[in-house]
DNA sequence: TTTCATGTTCAGCA
DNA sequence: GTGCTGAACATGAA
């Protein structure tokens, strides 16, 4: 479920497990996941390099490889990293970085929708891709300025990575549920005080999710996340949750509590 | 068997 | 440029 909280959890995990390690070799089991680089190039670029720092922007994770640039990892819908001794896991990873000393970083991704690349400069990458500010860094003024004039729905605006980076389908629903705002509300019709509520909700929801290590079981019981399924009920008022399609994705909301205005 | 799924990207259309 | 829809990517789960 790689949205911002998941990727931030991955980042912290990798920070504690692979920094300082030296790359021995790289194995690409699913070459289609590479972007703008071949397996051979990636291997020769990374071999002998020491991992120095980690960075995250939105749903992108970067590992700095000393003198070689940054290894970019995007987890798509089903990707996740795992560090351990070679071959410790039953599943076959799509990508693996072996380190001197015997450990390796494996990238699992059933659906192969994840992406792997090597970039020279993270900030340049963010500019080129026109990614918006990271959802955990954005301040109230910037948030309001970037969102309140958008067309379409508030939910689509929250999920637009060019507007604000890191929020996906699940957390967009969660943020709007907590803010009690209807996901289909038009951004231009939302009052400033309601935008404030959305902003505060965004901070609370993301902060709590990161603190919980993005584990649904460790999120507040009043969260929508654990109820987003057929026959799911609103954890606050008990009414049946409704669904609709917004921005091409299934949207869960409580029709009784989430209003179009206010 | 069919439908749906947490993400991104592109084509086609308004 | 903005936004929407549908498709593609590739695979598992309900």
């Amino acid at each position: 479920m790689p949205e911002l909280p998941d990727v931030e959890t991955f980042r912290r995990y990798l920070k504690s497990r692979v920094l300082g390690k030296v790359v021995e070799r790289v194995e690409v089991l699913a070459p289609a996941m590479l972007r703008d680089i071949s397996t051979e190039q990636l291997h020769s670029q990374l071999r002998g390099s020491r991992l120095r720092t980690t960075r995250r922007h939105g749903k992108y994770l970067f590992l700095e490889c000393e003198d070689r640039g940054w290894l970019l990892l995007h987890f798509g819908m089903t990707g996740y990293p795992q560090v351990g001794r070679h071959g410790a896991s039953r599943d076959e990873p799509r990508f693996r970085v072996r380190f001197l000393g015997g450990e390796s970083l494996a990238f699992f991704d059933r659906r192969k929708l994840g992406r792997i690349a090597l970039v020279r400069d993270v900030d340049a990458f963010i500019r080129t891709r026109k990614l918006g500010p990271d959802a955990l860094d954005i301040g109230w003024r910037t948030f309001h300025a970037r969102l309140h004039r958008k067309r379409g729905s508030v939910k689509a605006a929250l999920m637009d990575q060019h507007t604000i980076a890191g929020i996906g389908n699940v957390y967009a629903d969660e943020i709007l549920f907590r803010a009690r705002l209807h996901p289909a509300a038009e951004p231009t019709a939302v009052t400033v005080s309601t935008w404030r509520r959305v902003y505060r909700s965004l901070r609370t929801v993301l902060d709590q999710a990161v603190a919980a290590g993005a584990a649904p079981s460790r999120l507040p019981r009043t969260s929508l996340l654990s109820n987003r399924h057929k026959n799911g009920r609103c954890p606050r008022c008990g009414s049946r949750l409704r669904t609709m399609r917004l921005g091409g994705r299934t949207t869960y909301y409580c029709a009784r509590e989430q209003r179009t205005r206010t």
Side-chain angles (χ1 to χ4, degrees):
Chain A
M1 353 159 168
E3 294 186 34
L4 187 153
D6 310 272
V7 180
E8 176 61 16
T9 300
F10 295 160
R11 188 191 68 78
R12 294 179 182 187
Y13 168 67
L14 292 182
K15 183 180 178 185
S16 73
R17 296 298 301 272
V18 302
L19 290 196
K21 294 188 181 301
V22 175
V23 178
E24 183 181 28
R25 72 169 188 273
V26 165
E27 296 165 2
V28 181
L29 296 306
M33 290 172 65
L34 296 183
R35 279 298 169 273
D36 306 317
I37 194 166
S38 68
T39 300
E40 295 70 29
Q41 286 171 326
L42 191 60
H43 171 68
S44 64
Q45 284 283 306
L46 296 193
R47 191 164 46 130
S49 176
R50 185 182 299 272
L51 298 190
R52 292 193 50 90
T53 56
T54 60
R55 263 189 81 174
R56 181 191 56 73
H57 190 90
K59 303 171 191 171
Y60 290 89
L61 179 58
F62 305 89
L63 296 176
E64 185 183 14
C65 305
E66 195 165 45
D67 301 327
R68 317 293 166 84
W70 299 74
L71 178 65
L72 173 159
L73 300 178
H74 188 288
F75 298 93
M77 289 176 91
T78 54
Y80 64 95
Q82 198 172 75
V83 178
R85 308 296 294 184
H86 304 333
S89 178
R90 48 276 171 249
D91 274 2
E92 188 73 359
R94 306 304 189 184
F95 172 65
R96 183 158 44 208
V97 180
R98 292 187 184 262
F99 301 110
L100 293 179
E103 282 207 319
S104 60
L105 157 58
F107 184 156
F108 295 92
D109 186 1
R110 289 189 184 289
R111 287 176 65 183
K112 300 183 190 173
L113 296 176
R115 295 293 172 250
I116 300 155
L118 190 63
V119 300
R120 290 221 57 80
D121 181 335
V122 173
D123 295 310
F125 172 82
I126 293 167
R127 278 196 303 275
T128 314
R129 301 303 290 269
K130 298 184 163 62
L131 292 176
D134 184 80
L136 273 189
D137 289 343
I138 199 167
W140 153 248
R141 284 170 180 282
T142 310
F143 174 81
H144 183 250
R146 295 183 75 95
L147 283 136
H148 80 109
R149 279 178 217 219
K150 300 248 332 161
R151 286 185 278 165
S153 63
V154 286
K155 176 173 180 184
L158 282 176
M159 285 197 302
D160 182 355
Q161 304 300 303
H162 301 300
T163 303
I164 177 171
I167 300 168
N169 194 33
V170 169
Y171 284 99
D173 281 359
E174 193 68 51
I175 289 163
L176 293 172
F177 173 70
R178 193 170 208 291
R180 292 177 159 84
L181 178 62
H182 197 291
E186 293 173 32
T188 54
V190 173
T191 62
V192 177
S193 64
T194 297
W195 274 121
R196 259 223 178 270
R197 228 168 56 225
V198 176
Y199 177 73
R200 278 198 295 266
S201 173
L202 174 155
R203 302 234 42 123
T204 305
V205 165
L206 296 184
D207 285 347
Q208 284 181 348
V210 168
S217 61
R218 289 166 54 195
L219 259 33
R221 277 189 303 280
T222 51
S223 70
L224 184 69
L225 204 151
S226 45
N227 300 285
R228 42 179 307 128
H229 55 76
K230 200 169 175 5
N231 301 327
R233 288 183 174 278
C234 171
R236 283 197 301 251
C237 76
S239 62
R240 273 283 295 277
L241 293 176
R242 303 230 188 140
T243 61
M244 66 186 295
R245 299 285 289 183
L246 276 181
R249 337 266 338 167
T250 301
T251 300
Y252 286 78
Y253 67 104
C254 173
R256 186 164 153 193
E257 302 203 340
Q258 291 175 259
R259 310 291 182 72
T260 307
R261 283 173 190 276
T262 59

